Amino acid sequence: MKQIGLAGLLSLFLAGSVAADQAVLLIGTERYRYLNNVSGGTKVVNAAGNFEEAGATVVVVEDAEISRIEGGLDDLADVAEDADAVLIAMVGQFVTDGTRTWYMARTTDTPDHLLETGTDAVLVENVLTFLDQIDGPAVLALGLRQSEDDYIDGLSPGLGPLEAPDGVTIVRAGPDYLAGFLGEDVAQPGRDLVEAVTDAEGAAFVGEAPDRLVLIPRDQARDRDRPRVILRPRGDEDQSDVIALVRERRDNLAWDAASDDDTVEGYRAYLDQFPRGRHATAARIAIDRILSEPERQARLAEEALNLSRQERQQIQRDLTILDYNTRGIDGIFGPGTRQAITNWQQQNGLEQSSYLTTVQIRLLREQAQRRSDILEAEAQRERERVEREDRAYWRETGRNGGEGDLRRYLERYPDGLFADQARDRLNRIEEDARAAAAGEERRVWDRYREVDSVAGYREYLERYPNGSFRGQARERLTALENAQSGQADRERAEAQERALGLNTITARLVEARLADLGLEPGAVDGRFTDDTRRALRRYQRSRNLPVTGYMNEPTAVRLLADSILR
């Protein structure tokens, strides 16, 4: 195949022609046989429907060898002589020797021979010369992205120093962007190309730009009886099917627009235009889907907020603080959370959609913070009351009391203010008892104490009903029996804590909050020790939560809400 030269272009231009308002040639190449493909290279042909709808005559060439590009230029020449304006768009691989620029056909095997005479590529300077012959405005739109092909020395991918003749405007953009830019801006009647390029982020002029350029007048009337699109299709498709191919393309473009809009109105507009189109059934199904979901707009609005999992968990904590059960604080809005949202919306006189808006999330947060402040104030008053009673009972039993009084104090206040002091004194009493006890009883007690079992303590009390260690034996016996009876509850509490999946950072936050409240959880290191368990029991007891010493959802909601919201 030979290169299209200036003489060939002029002869094509001077051939017989038909009347046209605007003549448009869209050439797009994506799949190259030997060179790297150009992603989105053929998207430019999607603009054909927009130009045709605006009244232009369009020639389309997709993934073409040089002969079909020649044919496309031939078709353009047939309609360009009397056209008010002409646009040629070329998308694909370009190569330059630093002076000239070539557009590569689909079957070009290597651009090395461009330095020689005769090749299967289009010399872009010749296309500019062709456009220079147009009486009205002429535009050359080039779509390209950086190529990774290797060429011989003297050739490089891209454009050379193109110079536009007077009356010709050159625009360049990426392949994907150019397709939308042509269809949505250039093809719109009355749209100023200069203004459109100035406003666009993905398009730019090559060389100087005119002051103003409107390719299609605003008041242009469309002649629907005259064919407007000429296809140079891939392969050897029957040219008698051109009208069907054009209709199929317009059908697909209309469906793409309806799908992007995804509204009842958009799908109905598609059906009005193509009641028996390729996508008519899908359009009717989409309409039924939308109408069967009354809260669809509310759902889409919430999805548009792109709430993170942490933000969803905070919403669940807020609802729980307000006594709306979300059935979990997991960041997943399942049926429990949706019902909680619905109940909250109903209580606040809002539309009960089960989906939240930004304003509603802010209102929910404010309500949860006020409720948290109220609950914390109540907890503080309860804590002060319990501490007063604790101190009073210590004065009564513990300050100067004996072993029995100390054990009564611990029975009532196992995590009390003076619990450690009471246990220290009991340990000293036990040590004194060991020193005073007979050698045989002391040896027996040490053995039972080491085993630390219900059976052992019972056996000791049977052998020594008035023994020196009877108080300690009864205390340990009661503690072990209570532990056995509460084993299932403790295992359940441990499982609830594990289910929360607390990481070290969250565990430290829990310990820090307990420390801030003066509950003495021990070191803030992310490890829950006996001191941490006691602090948790104290916290749970003061807030009327289940007293387990383990983290669970009610405790986490209150403790973390107290920390986060304050």
Side-chain angles (χ1 to χ4, degrees):
M1 291 295 176
K2 62 181 180 61
Q3 175 179 314
I4 299 178
L6 174 59
L9 283 171
L10 292 177
S11 66
L12 289 174
F13 174 74
L14 295 174
S17 60
V18 295
D21 297 313
Q22 291 83 28
V24 177
L25 171 60
L26 304 177
I27 305 174
T29 306
E30 178 171 329
R31 298 193 299 273
Y32 282 88
R33 181 173 296 176
Y34 304 107
L35 305 178
N36 286 328
N37 289 338
V38 176
S39 177
T42 57
K43 285 186 178 180
V44 69
V45 303
N46 293 337
N50 301 82
F51 282 109
E52 188 270 344
E53 194 70 27
T57 297
V58 187
V59 180
V60 174
V61 182
E62 294 185 63
D63 281 334
E65 62 272 10
I66 194 67
S67 63
R68 286 195 287 123
I69 296 178
E70 288 178 342
L73 287 164
D74 193 0
D75 293 332
L76 180 69
D78 285 342
V79 297
E81 185 174 6
D82 296 324
D84 297 328
V86 174
L87 179 143
I88 298 177
M90 308 174 74
V91 180
Q93 290 266 31
F94 292 83
V95 67
T96 179
D97 63 358
T99 303
R100 296 166 296 176
T101 300
W102 290 268
Y103 174 76
M104 315 303 290
R106 181 177 69 87
T107 53
T108 303
D109 55 354
T110 171
D112 300 352
H113 58 289
L114 293 177
L115 296 177
E116 304 171 2
T117 58
T119 184
D120 52 350
V122 179
L123 188 62
V124 175
E125 283 77 6
N126 286 350
V127 177
L128 289 171
T129 302
F130 169 64
L131 291 174
D132 189 29
Q133 310 304 312
I134 305 301
D135 292 335
V139 177
L140 176 61
L142 304 176
L144 70 158
R145 59 167 49 96
Q146 185 63 41
S147 171
E148 298 179 357
D149 285 304
D150 294 326
Y151 305 140
I152 65 170
D153 292 339
L155 291 176
S156 59
L159 304 178
L162 298 175
E163 294 185 8
D166 291 341
V168 179
T169 302
I170 306 175
V171 179
R172 65 169 293 171
D176 296 308
Y177 190 89
L178 185 64
F181 176 74
L182 292 178
E184 297 171 11
D185 283 291
V186 181
Q188 301 309 305
R191 180 64 160 141
D192 178 15
L193 176 68
V194 177
E195 180 182 351
V197 173
T198 302
D199 293 342
E201 296 181 359
F205 288 108
V206 177
E208 296 184 2
D211 294 332
R212 177 178 171 80
L213 196 163
V214 177
L215 196 69
I216 300 177
R218 184 180 302 278
D219 58 352
Q220 176 166 299
R222 176 189 174 195
D223 180 2
R224 293 181 179 271
D225 295 331
R226 180 157 54 86
R228 292 291 188 180
V229 177
I230 302 171
L231 293 182
R232 287 283 175 171
R234 300 185 183 97
D236 299 318
E237 290 92 339
D238 187 353
Q239 290 295 312
S240 65
D241 292 334
V242 165
I243 299 302
L245 289 171
V246 171
R247 181 175 178 82
E248 178 180 337
R249 183 176 301 282
R250 292 181 58 200
D251 186 324
N252 290 334
L253 290 172
W255 171 250
D256 289 342
S259 299
D260 291 341
D261 189 33
D262 198 29
T263 63
V264 171
E265 294 74 15
Y267 291 119
R268 284 176 175 166
Y270 168 82
L271 290 172
D272 289 343
Q273 190 174 4
F274 298 98
R276 287 181 291 276
R278 298 182 63 194
H279 310 281
T281 300
R284 294 185 179 95
I285 292 174
I287 291 173
D288 291 340
R289 169 177 56 81
I290 294 172
L291 294 179
S292 65
E293 185 184 357
E295 305 301 338
R296 180 172 181 273
Q297 292 303 319
R299 174 178 63 80
L300 294 176
E302 183 186 275
E303 290 175 356
L305 299 179
N306 292 319
L307 296 173
S308 67
R309 183 168 185 176
Q310 289 75 16
E311 290 171 327
R312 289 172 176 267
Q313 287 176 314
Q314 183 60 57
I315 289 170
Q316 290 173 323
R317 280 194 288 269
D318 291 344
L319 289 165
T320 304
I321 283 288
L322 296 171
D323 295 327
Y324 297 100
N325 184 11
T326 61
R327 302 181 194 171
I329 312 295
D330 53 8
I332 300 173
F333 282 8
T337 301
R338 291 301 174 192
Q339 187 60 54
I341 293 173
T342 300
N343 294 341
W344 175 80
Q345 289 172 330
Q346 181 182 29
Q347 189 67 28
N348 287 271
L350 302 170
E351 181 182 354
Q352 299 166 44
S353 67
S354 82
Y355 297 98
L356 292 168
T357 66
T358 301
V359 173
Q360 290 176 359
I361 292 173
R362 188 181 304 115
L363 175 61
L364 176 62
R365 179 66 53 82
E366 293 171 353
Q367 291 179 353
Q369 182 161 355
R370 287 196 296 270
R371 178 61 175 162
S372 179
D373 290 342
I374 292 172
L375 291 174
E376 189 63 14
E378 293 175 351
Q380 182 62 28
R381 289 193 293 270
E382 176 64 13
R383 178 183 174 185
E384 293 171 354
R385 182 190 68 78
V386 171
E387 286 186 358
R388 285 195 301 271
E389 294 178 355
D390 186 331
R391 295 179 186 279
Y393 197 67
W394 176 250
R395 287 194 298 269
E396 178 185 340
T397 61
R399 177 171 294 180
N400 299 309
E403 180 180 357
D405 289 334
L406 293 172
R407 296 194 187 285
R408 283 197 300 275
Y409 174 82
L410 287 174
E411 183 177 352
R412 178 176 294 187
Y413 296 105
D415 300 314
L417 298 173
F418 307 97
D420 290 340
Q421 187 176 342
R423 290 190 178 92
D424 288 341
R425 290 174 61 179
L426 286 172
N427 288 335
R428 289 196 297 271
I429 290 172
E430 181 177 349
E431 289 300 319
D432 293 342
R434 287 189 78 262
E440 180 182 359
E441 181 187 359
R442 185 167 60 248
R443 286 192 296 273
V444 171
W445 170 251
D446 288 344
R447 187 168 63 253
Y448 288 144
R449 192 73 176 84
E450 183 177 358
V451 175
D452 197 33
S453 67
V454 170
Y457 292 126
R458 284 176 177 171
E459 185 174 335
Y460 170 82
L461 289 172
E462 289 176 0
R463 292 180 61 179
Y464 302 99
N466 297 312
S468 300
F469 306 100
R470 62 185 182 277
Q472 292 93 320
R474 292 192 184 101
E475 180 187 16
R476 288 300 301 152
L477 180 61
T478 300
L480 290 174
E481 288 177 338
N482 289 340
Q484 289 178 352
S485 64
Q487 180 66 22
D489 292 337
R490 185 167 59 256
E491 291 176 353
R492 184 162 46 252
E494 291 174 348
Q496 289 175 345
E497 183 175 276
R498 285 195 302 272
L500 293 177
L502 301 176
N503 55 35
T504 302
I505 295 176
T506 306
R508 285 174 179 268
L509 180 61
V510 168
E511 293 168 331
R513 179 59 179 154
L514 293 171
D516 290 342
L517 294 171
L519 298 177
E520 301 176 355
V524 179
D525 56 8
R527 295 180 296 174
F528 286 0
T529 62
D530 290 342
D531 289 337
T532 310
R533 299 297 177 195
R534 182 179 62 182
L536 280 170
R537 289 193 296 270
R538 288 174 174 174
Y539 179 84
Q540 290 165 335
R541 188 176 290 109
S542 68
R543 284 152 179 80
N544 294 319
L545 297 168
V547 180
T548 64
Y550 292 86
M551 289 291 291
N552 48 43
E553 282 191 356
T555 303
V557 167
R558 284 294 305 277
L559 188 61
L560 297 180
D562 289 345
S563 175
I564 293 172
L565 293 176
R566 295 181 69 80

